[in-house]
Amino acid sequence: MTPVAALDRVVHCLDRAHDKGFKAKAFVRAREVVRATDPTEIAERAAAGTLTKLDGIGDSSAKLITEALNGEVPHYLTKLEATTQVSITADGQRYRDALRGDCHLHSTWSDGGAEIADMAATARALGHEYMVITDHSARLTIAHGLDRQRLERQLADIAELNAGFDDFRILTGMEVDIFEDGALDLDDDLLERLDVVVASVHSKLRMERQQMTERMVLAVANPHVDILGHCTGRMIGKRPPSTFDADFVFAACRQFGTAVEINCRPERLDPPRELLDLAIAYGCWFSIDTDAHATGQLEWQPNGCDRAAEREVPIERVINTMGADELLAWTASTGG
Ligand SMILES: [Zn+2]
Ligand SMILES: [Zn+2]
């Protein structure tokens, strides 16, 4: 195991545990330093015990790097592998086993922490047949959202990456912002070109109930939209859910074939139980997605699977139980 591989795996495990503390940041920083430094210098410093003289390498990372170079599995990594596993119930596992892809995740193109290629390698290792790259749209400037030009460059990059796979596929997509008037933050011709479009509200979350309902219904009814992302926008313990008439919104989801996302992020777990029950009652489609911003977060599907099992979401209504071709046929049949 190279020092970079060991650090990659440490960062992955800390991400799946949603650890954003000082130590996690220190390992991310150490990884940057090791990536940017000649491996010969790293090896020499490890032998001489001078790794911590490098700015950004602390005692814990120095120990990890030294152990990796000595051909050992670093102790700290062994501990993390055992203590950071994402748990799942037996009922949830039935859903997880049925999932063949992940339809909402980010890369370094917007506010994610990993390159598309690294996200793809992890998704593939998790047993997925495909993943949909859904970086943010231009309006979300704090998340470095993609404008037309950057999205086109990303599409070219994805085509190149796909040429290198024979048993995995990266589908194109975007998490498109829903403007206050219900319009989408991307031109129609590009929406048309993308394989899967997730539409989400990220601004003016406290909008008055009727306006928010209209805003969401318009987005859901847009023929290019395939998935309604984290519908209430809540952040558990930090931000209350938006208020909207869920009957109208889920009736529209059913009517226009837009899947309701079951967002797996632990701080979101959106929709909340009572809304999920309502969406089931309306006969909606669902998509159990991680909204991962790092490779470790791709392991979060169990959170949504447990919730789906608990509320008894009909498994045949979960769109990412479909294979890639079937999913593409589904998006086309519900408006493209
Ligand atoms: Zn979002
Ligand atoms: Zn997202």
Side-chain angles (χ1 to χ4, degrees):
M1 187 176 255
T2 65
V4 173
L7 286 161
D8 274 343
R9 191 64 198 170
V10 164
V11 171
H12 177 96
C13 289
L14 290 168
D15 276 329
R16 75 182 176 188
H18 212 196
D19 186 332
K20 293 192 286 193
F22 170 78
K23 207 159 192 184
K25 290 199 178 92
F27 277 111
V28 170
R29 171 82 184 113
R31 178 173 64 169
E32 275 169 25
V33 173
V34 174
R35 275 182 181 165
T37 308
D38 184 340
T40 317
E41 181 182 346
I42 295 290
E44 282 168 6
R45 284 184 177 278
T50 60
L51 277 169
T52 53
K53 295 264 188 320
L54 283 172
D55 193 19
I57 306 282
D59 289 336
S60 306
S61 351
K63 186 161 182 280
L64 187 100
I65 293 164
T66 309
E67 288 172 351
L69 285 169
N70 289 341
E72 302 163 39
V73 177
H75 285 85
Y76 181 61
L77 181 54
T78 305
K79 188 182 122 199
L80 282 183
E81 292 283 6
T83 56
T84 61
Q85 298 218 17
V86 182
S87 65
I88 188 162
T89 64
D91 289 339
Q93 189 66 49
R94 198 168 62 86
Y95 286 79
R96 178 61 192 85
D97 290 345
L99 295 182
R100 297 166 74 176
D102 194 334
C103 299
H104 180 175
L105 52 104
H106 300 266
S107 74
T108 45
W109 281 82
S110 64
D111 59 348
E115 310 266 338
I116 297 177
D118 294 333
M119 294 298 273
T122 303
R124 197 163 160 260
L126 288 172
H128 286 320
E129 295 167 24
Y130 58 91
M131 67 175 193
V132 187
I133 282 285
T134 55
D135 276 308
H136 288 288
S137 61
R139 216 258 300 256
L140 214 59
T141 46
I142 49 159
H144 206 217
L146 278 68
D147 59 12
R148 194 180 174 91
Q149 283 69 35
R150 290 184 63 228
L151 177 58
E152 278 175 348
R153 276 179 22 225
Q154 187 189 57
L155 295 180
D157 260 29
I158 290 174
E160 209 168 294
L161 285 166
N162 271 333
F165 298 124
D166 48 12
D167 58 352
F168 184 79
R169 220 155 125 189
I170 304 168
L171 301 182
T172 61
M174 180 169 258
E175 182 180 15
V176 182
D177 251 51
I178 303 174
F179 289 140
E180 282 152 52
D181 63 357
L184 300 178
D185 186 20
L186 192 68
D187 296 332
D188 269 352
D189 64 315
L190 281 174
L191 288 168
E192 176 76 49
R193 266 173 73 190
L194 297 174
D195 292 325
V196 178
V197 173
V198 177
S200 307
V201 169
H202 290 116
S203 60
K204 284 274 170 71
L205 290 150
R206 303 268 63 79
M207 207 174 206
E208 184 269 317
R209 178 182 164 95
Q210 180 163 351
Q211 279 180 300
M212 184 59 101
T213 305
E214 287 173 18
R215 178 185 187 182
M216 292 173 74
V217 166
L218 274 169
V220 160
N222 185 304
H224 298 300
V225 173
D226 303 304
I227 300 170
L228 173 64
H230 50 69
C231 65
T232 76
R234 72 164 174 178
M235 291 283 182
I236 296 169
K238 275 194 198 154
R239 190 164 75 201
S242 302
T243 52
F244 53 88
D245 189 326
D247 282 286
F248 273 100
V249 171
F250 294 145
C253 284
R254 168 66 210 235
Q255 177 68 28
F256 296 100
T258 296
V260 175
E261 175 182 79
I262 298 176
N263 189 293
C264 297
R265 296 190 65 81
E267 78 277 22
R268 286 193 185 274
L269 274 179
D270 206 356
R273 290 183 173 85
E274 62 283 7
L275 287 190
L276 185 52
D277 291 348
L278 190 66
I280 295 168
Y282 271 100
C284 293
W285 292 98
F286 296 93
S287 188
I288 302 177
D289 300 325
T290 59
D291 196 358
H293 285 68
T295 62
Q297 299 177 4
L298 287 166
E299 295 201 35
W300 284 351
Q301 272 176 332
N303 304 335
C305 288
D306 280 354
R307 180 54 60 86
E310 182 198 307
R311 308 325 287 180
E312 300 181 357
V313 170
I315 208 161
E316 67 280 4
R317 299 296 282 179
V318 178
I319 62 169
N320 47 336
T321 62
M322 299 179 195
D325 289 327
E326 204 187 335
L327 178 69
L328 294 179
W330 176 83
T331 65
S333 73
T334 60

